[in-house]
Every structure is written in C-alpha cells, then in structure tokens.
C-alpha cells in the first residue's frame, strides 16, 4: 500500500515518497496529497503530531479492592485535574462489593486526566479511570488513548446515530430503540427522568415512566430519524391519567445512589454493589455449605455483676468476644476455614463481628482477640464499628477472620440462627439477656447463643464440646480478666 501511495504522490508532483511513509496514517497522507503540500511541510506536520502524542503518562486502572470484586462505583474524586499527587495520597473513594474504600496513589506526579467521573457505576476492574504525568509536563496536552472502554462506548454511540430531541427542557440523548418507544407511547422525552451516562435516556426510563402512568403527548413526538418505524405488532398501551399530585416537572439531576422505582403495586429498590454481593454470598452459603445448629443457655449473673464493678467501661459484647476467642484457643479444631477440599486450622484467633451499616452488613475483624485485654477489645471494636458505618475500613480490616459473632440482643432478639460466612467454619448468633425463672424459683439473667457450623469441618460432638467450654468461660468471667 505504501508503494502505491508513493507512486500516487509522484504523479501529483510531490517528489518525496518518504513524506507519505512518515505520516501517521493514510487519512493524513490523503490530506497531504490533496492539498499539494511538499515533503518539507509534510515532515514538519508529522513531527509536530509525534511531539503531541509523546507526552509520557501513567495509567490509573480500576483496582480490585476485594477478592470478590468485579466492578465498582467511583463515589468521589479527592484530587482534581492538575493537582500534584504524592505516594500515599487519596485519589478517590470507590464503593466495592464490601465497603467504600479510599484508593491511594503509589506514584508521584500530576493528575492529568480524569476519564471516569464521580458517581460512575459498574466500572469494571482494570478499566482505565485516569492518567498521570510527571511534574513539569504540560498535563493539558495529554490525550486519552483511543482503545479505552470509554472511547469505545463513545464511538458506539456515534455509530448508532443517537439524536437530540429538544422540548423546552434541553437536548435529550437517546438511541433509535428509545425513539421507537417514545413514538409508540407518544411521550415527551424532556418529562422523563433519564438515568443513563451523560443524561442519556434509556429504554428502562421510558418503560418505568409508562408503568407509573406517564402522560402522553397530545400529538406524536417528532423524531430525528424518519426511517425508524413503529413495529406493527406493538400495540400502544393506554397509560393511566395522572392525578393532580403527579404533575410532571423538569427532570431532577441523577445521583449516584440507586433510585427506588415506585408503582401502584410495589416499590423496586435497586441493590448497591455491597448488598448485591451479600445476597449472592448468602445464597451460595446456604446452597453449598451443609449447616448444622446447636444452642445453649448461659447464666449471665456473675458477668453482669463483675461488669458493674469494673473501672473500665466495657460492654457485654466485649466479654462475649473475649470468651469466644479463649474458647477457640482451648478447642483449636473450631478455629478453621474450608480450603475447598479440607479444613485448614489457623494459628491466629481473629474474631469477625457483624456490624449493621446503611449499605448492608459488614464484619470488621478484631485481630488476635485471645491475646487482647477487655479494654483493648472494647476500644478496637468501637473504632472498627465507627469506621465501618462511615465506609472507611481498609481491606485487611474486614477480609479474613476465623470465627464470626452476630449479636442481635440489643434489638430485643432472644434467639436466632445465622448463616455461615464462608470459608469460616462457624458463626455464633447471640440473643439478648432476659430474666428466667428456674426450677428452684430463682430468677437468673440468661443469654441464648446458637452456633451454626459447617458440617464438613465440625461434627455435633465438636460443636457441643465448644459450646460447653464457652458456657464455662462466660459464666466464670474472672477467667476473661486474666
């Protein structure tokens, strides 16, 4: 091809085949030929183009911040384009399937280009999200690589010939399929809340609007593509007439949080990444892990009396964590995880504690709880729980653990069973302390704990032995102070 193009150059009076060979692409060569530019000007144009593309950049990719993470949401960029970045600086906050985690920089330089903006959902791992350059480099000259997913999406949108339809509220981006729906139901696109990227109107937005009784136009909507036909087999629905309370207003800006979809019969609440992962893992746990259960009642009189006399403020839950950790040290066969084929006994006793957050349940870990005094367990757990609710836990603070405790006693629950958190062997469900009248007509404070065990690792005899040791530790709390 280069040789034939060179002959073409010669036939037009351009005496340098090298001019064409040095241009960046065929379109540039054709432009050079048509304009009759000489070899000197061609080489100059080529070298200027090379200079513009030679700005060295460091690519910032979407990281995998948890073992199960496949995609995430960029909640907020903490740095702006042109800001200096040092190693350890927080670049952005990312919502994973577990929590909202800060992404730190490993490089030093200037944040040149943010490719994926705030609030972008379903960003896949290893997708390019930003570019950095070294200090002293003009970051404004950085160009986004054409092979990024963002550019492929833009090219795809251009190929589908998306059009803008103006109806007072501004231009609305849409695809041909959406235009067909608008024509079918005779709807005004500016009155429909759009949830797509860059304010793009999606098919789901139109269908949701129709399901909610959206008001049709008095005349058909004019669309940009006259050849887009309405399928003959599609019969337009007759949407319900809206009530005065449903007066349509201009669409509101779309936030990064999922929007509930309300209809007359039900409300659809989209899952966050975290809740979607929780649902998936719980379903897999119940489907693949053979659960077995065992319960016991613990008399809490001695513990409650000892707690009142302590100078340090600790909770009943702190005692439970300490007692469970010591019991795992006494019965080490329970301190195990499933490897896929067999049980693996762990050396450290790391207790995962279930904490409820607005995004879902998360289990921060109290490391080496068997070696910590009660006061340190209390302060550690308060700090972990506080940062868990704020979404500021680091990955190692909630990934792993050898045993989980879920306590619903503070919510008035007396007894329940919990789902095992794989690959752990057990989870203990703790109910609230309640007064119980015994056979000798004495009232005692009693707490019920229920152990859920993976039957592949823990048989009934082992579970009973562990519960017996736990009961002895919790009913003799002076052991927990040693």
């Amino acid at each position: 091809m280069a040789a034939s193009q060179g002959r073409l150059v010669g036939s037009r009076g351009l005496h340098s085949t090298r001019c064409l060979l040095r241009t960046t692409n065929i379109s540039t060569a054709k432009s050079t030929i048509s304009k009759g530019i000489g070899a000197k000007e061609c080489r100059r144009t080529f070298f200027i183009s090379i200079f513009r593309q030679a700005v060295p950049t460091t690519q910032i990719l979407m990281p995998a911040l948890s073992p199960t993470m496949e995609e995430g949401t960029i909640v907020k960029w903490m740095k702006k384009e042109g800001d200096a970045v040092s190693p350890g600086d927080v670049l952005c906050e990312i919502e994973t399937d577990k929590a909202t985690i800060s992404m730190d920089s490993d490089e030093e330089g200037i944040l040149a280009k943010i490719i994926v903006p705030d609030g972008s959902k379903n960003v896949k791992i290893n997708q390019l999200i930003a570019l950095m350059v070294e200090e002293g480099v003009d970051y404004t000259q950085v160009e986004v690589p054409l092979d990024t997913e963002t550019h492929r999406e833009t090219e795809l949108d251009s190929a589908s010939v998306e059009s803008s339809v103006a109806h007072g509220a501004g231009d609305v981006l849409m695809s041909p399929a959406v235009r067909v729906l608008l024509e079918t139901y005779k709807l005004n696109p500016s009155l429909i809340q759009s949830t797509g990227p860059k304010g793009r109107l999606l098919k789901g937005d139109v269908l949701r609007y129709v399901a909610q009784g959206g008001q049709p136009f008095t005349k058909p909507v004019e669309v940009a593509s006259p050849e887009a036909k309405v399928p003959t087999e599609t019969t337009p629905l007759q949407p319900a007439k809206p009530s005065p309370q449903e007066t349509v207003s201009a669409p509101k800006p779309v936030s990064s949080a999922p929007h509930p979809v309300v209809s007359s019969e039900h409300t659809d609440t989209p899952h966050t990444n975290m809740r979607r992962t929780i649902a998936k893992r719980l379903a897999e746990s119940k489907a693949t892990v053979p659960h077995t259960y065992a319960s016991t009642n613990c008399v809490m009189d001695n513990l409650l009396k000892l707690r009142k006399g302590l100078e340090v403020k600790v909770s009943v839950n702190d005692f439970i964590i300490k007692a469970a950790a010591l019991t795992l040290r006494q019965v080490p066969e329970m301190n195990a995880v499933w490897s896929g084929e067999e049980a693996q006994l762990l050396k450290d006793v790391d207790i995962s504690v279930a904490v409820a957050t607005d995004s879902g349940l998360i289990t921060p870990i109290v490391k080496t709880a068997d070696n910590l005094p009660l006061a340190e367990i209390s302060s550690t757990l308060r700090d972990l729980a506080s940062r868990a609710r704020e979404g500021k836990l680091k990955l190692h603070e909630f990934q792993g653990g050898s045993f989980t405790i879920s306590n619903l006693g503070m919510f008035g629950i007396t007894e329940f069973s919990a789902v095992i958190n794989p690959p752990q062997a057990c989870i203990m469900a703790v109910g609230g302390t309640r007064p119980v009248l015994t056979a000798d007509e004495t009232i005692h404070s009693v707490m019920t704990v229920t152990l859920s065990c993976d039957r592949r690792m823990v048989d009934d005899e082992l579970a009973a032995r562990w519960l017996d040791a736990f009961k002895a530790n919790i009913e003799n709390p002076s052991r927990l102070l040693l």
Side-chain angles (χ1 to χ4, degrees), residues 148-164 173-179 196-202 225:
T148 63
E149 184 170 337
T150 302
H151 278 65
R152 286 200 303 270
E153 180 181 350
T154 303
E155 293 170 0
L156 183 61
D157 292 341
S158 300
S160 64
V161 196
E162 288 188 338
S163 61
S164 306
L173 292 175
M174 66 187 72
S175 66
V178 174
R179 289 199 301 271
K198 301 179 182 179
R200 184 179 298 112
L201 189 64
L202 306 179
S225 298

Side-chain angles (χ1 to χ4, degrees), residues 345-365:
L345 301 183
L346 304 178
K347 294 181 180 179
D348 293 332
V349 177
D350 299 329
I351 303 295
S352 303
V353 182
V355 174
T357 70
D358 293 338
S359 300
L361 206 65
I362 192 168
T363 53
I365 303 169

